[in-house]
Structures are given as structure tokens and as C-alpha cells.
């Protein structure tokens, strides 16, 4: 093996910076609006649904009585509602901290 000085040297010139391709501003704003609406809708659903009187009246969950009993527990209902609050909080944070990237 013959190592020459050209093999051990770093490449000539500064490293090339890759240009970041950003979507248009209108698309960024549309994404944020859809994301915030999705978070709010999902959060409100997760807050209200476990406390609805017909939470388990019909549906697939009726086939699994143990799972139905676990999900009707007050702690589990509160945990699901807590996830809804976290989801709403994520939507609010995104709306408040949004800025256009240009």
C-alpha cells in the first residue's frame, strides 16, 4: 500500500451548504390551522366522550366485559380526559408559538 499526501489531506474548499427547501408560507399556515383544529377537536372529544352516558351502550367493546369494566373505571375515564387536555394544550402551544419560516 502506498499512501501519498494527497490521500490524507482534506478536500479542498469549504464544505458546501445545502439549501433548505421550505414549503410556501400559505402551506405552512394551512398546516398549522389544520393541526390546531385537529388537536382541539380530538381533545374535546377525549374530554367529553368518557363521561357520556352511552359510553359503552353498544359497539365492539361489549364483547369484552373485562375491558369494559376497566374503561368504565373513574380513574381510566379521568386519564382519557387528561389526554384530551394535553391534546388541547398542544394545539394552543402550536398556535401561540407559530412563526413563518422563510
Amino acid at each position: 500500500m502506498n499512501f501519498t499526501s494527497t490521500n490524507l489531506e482534506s478536500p479542498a474548499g469549504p464544505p458546501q451548504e445545502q439549501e433548505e427547501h421550505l414549503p410556501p408560507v400559505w402551506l405552512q399556515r394551512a398546516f398549522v390551522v389544520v393541526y390546531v383544529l385537529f388537536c382541539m377537536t380530538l381533545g374535546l372529544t377525549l374530554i367529553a366522550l368518557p363521561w357520556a352516558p352511552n359510553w359503552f351502550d353498544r359497539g365492539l367493546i361489549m364483547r369484552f366485559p373485562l375491558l369494559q369494566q376497566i374503561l368504565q373505571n373513574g380513574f381510566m375515564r379521568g386519564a382519557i380526559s387528561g389526554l384530551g387536555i394535553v391534546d388541547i394544550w398542544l394545539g394552543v402551544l402550536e398556535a401561540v408559538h407559530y412563526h413563518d419560516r422563510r
Side-chain angles (χ1 to χ4, degrees):
M1 285 196 197
N2 187 2
F3 291 105
T4 62
S5 63
T6 57
N7 289 344
L8 301 176
E9 292 179 6
S10 63
Q16 296 177 350
E17 291 186 26
Q18 293 181 356
E19 202 174 295
E20 185 179 357
H21 297 288
L22 296 173
V25 174
W26 68 268
L27 189 59
Q28 294 175 30
R29 290 178 182 169
F31 174 76
V32 169
V33 168
V34 169
Y35 178 75
V36 169
L37 288 175
F38 174 75
C39 285
M40 294 293 178
T41 304
L42 183 63
L44 288 173
T45 302
L46 286 175
I47 288 173
L49 190 61
W51 304 101
N54 59 355
W55 171 237
F56 285 113
D57 285 349
R58 12 183 214 303
L60 181 63
I61 202 72
M62 291 297 290
R63 294 182 186 173
F64 307 102
L66 180 63
L67 183 61
Q68 181 180 7
Q69 184 180 4
I70 291 171
L71 290 176
Q72 284 182 338
N73 184 0
F75 175 79
M76 195 57 95
R77 287 180 176 195
I80 293 170
S81 293
L83 286 175
I85 292 171
V86 169
D87 201 35
I88 289 174
W89 183 248
L90 288 174
V92 168
L93 279 178
E94 183 67 30
V96 169
H97 294 294
Y98 171 74
H99 63 278
D100 292 333
R101 295 182 297 158
R102 297 176 191 218

